[in-house]
């Protein structure tokens, strides 16, 4: 008799299981990411169970009616090759529907499979790392001092959908720091660093120019003193590449940002670090 996979939405505690599995895969998720992810779309985290045992998961976060993002696509190793992954994948795609532009960050081994499902490579994210430390530059302000609605509006320039729900939690994670720079009272860049399974991860890092991005990067690096600090940068932003190279950050993990309906019209020259490979 063929094994039947039961697929259902996760509850909040079960999202921690997806993060645990992602850590085992070597993706280095943030320790406290679960609340931010789950609150963005509580119906968008799917668990696959076989005879009552969790064996796989996938996230399909619907930001609005126009954009969604897939992540946490994991089947436990002993259950791979039995068709359970494609069942999870289809459930996620069905949830997001055909009207949304859907994004994901695909590891090299899976990119051909994603292409078969209608995804197209827009560019690559390359993970860079170095040991944190240094001194906070002048002009840096804590994001708590910036009106939240201004921050939401600034963030919207760099993402295909408005992220109010996500940011409400993301900016206040335990063991994290969020800072930016103002010009004439208006936000010109911001970044967040958070504790991850190994070291710290920066994301996002958005800025109006490379000079602003560098100051914010320097400030964030001080949070991860004597720890490894990671940032995922889009390889089509030459200023971002120059920035990490100037700071002698070392490249490592790579993934391709892919979309079903083409790359959104975003100012890639001002995106110096993606928020998260799990939710965009």
């Amino acid at each position: 008799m063929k094994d039947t996979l039961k697929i259902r939405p996760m509850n909040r505690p079960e999202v921690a299981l997806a993060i645990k599995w992602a850590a085992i895969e070597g993706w280095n998720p943030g320790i406290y990411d679960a609340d931010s992810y789950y609150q963005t779309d509580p119906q968008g985290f799917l668990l696959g169970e076989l005879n009552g045992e969790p064996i796989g998961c996938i996230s399909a976060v619907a930001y609005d009616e126009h954009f969604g993002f897939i992540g946490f696509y994991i089947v436990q190793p002993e259950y791979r090759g039995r068709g359970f992954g494609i069942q999870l994948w289809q459930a996620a795609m069905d949830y997001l529907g055909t009207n949304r532009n859907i994004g994901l960050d695909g590891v090299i081994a899976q990119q051909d499979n994603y292409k078969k499902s209608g995804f197209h490579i827009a560019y690559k994210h390359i993970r860079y790392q170095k040991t944190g430390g240094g001194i906070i530059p002048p002009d840096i302000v804590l994001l708590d001092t910036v009106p939240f609605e201004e921050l939401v509006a600034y963030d919207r320039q760099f993402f295909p959908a408005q992220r109010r729900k996500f940011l409400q939690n993301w900016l206040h994670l335990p063991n994290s720091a969020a800072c930016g720079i103002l010009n004439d009272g208006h936000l010109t860049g911001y970044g967040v660093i958070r504790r991850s399974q190994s070291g710290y991860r920066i994301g996002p890092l958005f800025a109006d120019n490379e000079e602003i991005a560098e100051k914010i990067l320097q400030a964030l690096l001080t949070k991860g003193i004597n720890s490894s600090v990671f940032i995922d940068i889009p390889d089509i932003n030459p200023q971002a590449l120059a920035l990490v190279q100037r700071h002698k950050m070392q490249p490592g993990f790579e993934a391709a940002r892919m979309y079903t309906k083409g790359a959104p019209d975003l100012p890639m020259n001002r995106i110096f670090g993606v928020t998260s490979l799990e939710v965009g």
Side-chain angles (χ1 to χ4, degrees):
M1 188 175 78
K2 185 178 179 181
D3 291 322
T4 300
L5 187 70
K6 178 184 177 182
I7 300 174
R8 62 170 176 81
M10 293 180 181
N11 58 41
R12 163 58 189 86
E14 288 168 337
V15 179
L17 180 62
I19 289 178
K20 177 184 176 182
W21 286 348
I24 293 171
E25 293 295 319
W27 299 347
N28 198 23
I31 291 175
Y32 304 105
D33 289 358
D35 277 339
S36 297
Y37 293 167
Y38 185 74
Q39 290 175 15
T40 303
D41 183 5
Q43 297 300 309
F45 290 81
L46 305 179
L47 187 69
E49 294 177 314
L50 193 63
N51 301 319
E53 178 186 356
I55 61 118
C57 62
I58 194 168
S59 62
V61 173
Y63 280 95
D64 60 18
E65 64 270 28
H66 304 296
F67 184 69
F69 201 89
I70 285 181
F72 287 110
Y73 185 24
I74 304 169
V75 175
Q76 291 296 87
E78 61 268 34
Y79 294 99
R80 292 173 187 174
R82 295 169 59 180
F84 300 134
I86 193 63
Q87 292 179 57
L88 282 163
W89 173 263
Q90 195 57 56
M93 294 294 287
D94 289 347
Y95 174 71
L96 291 177
T98 58
N99 293 328
R100 290 184 177 91
N101 190 12
I102 303 171
L104 59 77
D105 281 298
V107 297
I108 294 172
Q110 292 294 329
Q111 288 167 14
D112 286 343
N113 288 332
Y114 295 141
K115 289 176 182 177
K116 293 174 184 176
S117 294
F119 286 78
H120 308 279
I121 293 177
Y123 51 87
K124 294 178 181 177
H125 281 131
I126 303 173
R127 181 164 297 173
Y128 281 80
Q129 73 174 89
K130 70 171 295 183
T131 301
I135 299 171
I136 298 177
D139 306 327
I140 294 293
V141 299
L142 297 178
L143 284 188
D144 281 344
T145 66
V146 178
F148 182 65
E149 290 305 316
E150 180 176 350
L151 177 64
V152 170
Y154 185 81
D155 180 83
R156 179 63 179 86
Q157 300 175 70
F158 305 96
F159 199 78
Q162 181 252 88
R163 298 197 289 181
R164 181 178 286 104
K165 286 183 182 178
F166 174 79
L167 291 171
Q168 281 173 338
N169 190 275
W170 194 251
L171 302 178
H172 303 98
L173 296 174
N175 203 355
S176 70
C179 63
I181 289 182
L182 302 175
N183 183 22
D184 291 332
H186 296 291
L187 198 62
T188 58
Y190 89 91
V192 177
I193 184 169
R194 70 197 194 280
R195 190 74 175 87
S196 54
Q197 300 288 330
S198 173
Y200 288 80
R201 282 178 63 179
I202 291 173
L205 177 51
F206 303 145
D208 288 0
N209 58 51
E210 187 177 351
E211 179 183 0
I212 294 169
E214 180 149 30
K215 289 182 178 180
I216 296 171
L217 175 63
Q218 288 174 322
L220 295 175
L221 285 169
T222 66
K223 175 68 176 177
I225 186 168
N226 296 327
S227 297
S228 293
V229 177
F230 303 87
I231 184 171
D232 298 297
I233 71 163
D235 69 346
I236 60 171
N237 182 354
Q239 292 180 320
L241 284 168
L243 178 60
V244 294
Q245 289 168 0
R246 191 160 59 249
H247 282 265
K248 295 182 169 53
M249 301 185 81
Q250 300 300 311
F253 180 84
E254 177 184 304
R257 174 58 61 93
M258 307 177 76
Y259 296 100
T260 54
K261 299 181 184 295
D265 184 17
L266 302 175
M268 298 305 303
N269 63 320
R270 297 164 59 203
I271 297 177
F272 292 85
V274 67
T275 305
S276 160
L277 300 187
E278 291 78 35
V279 296

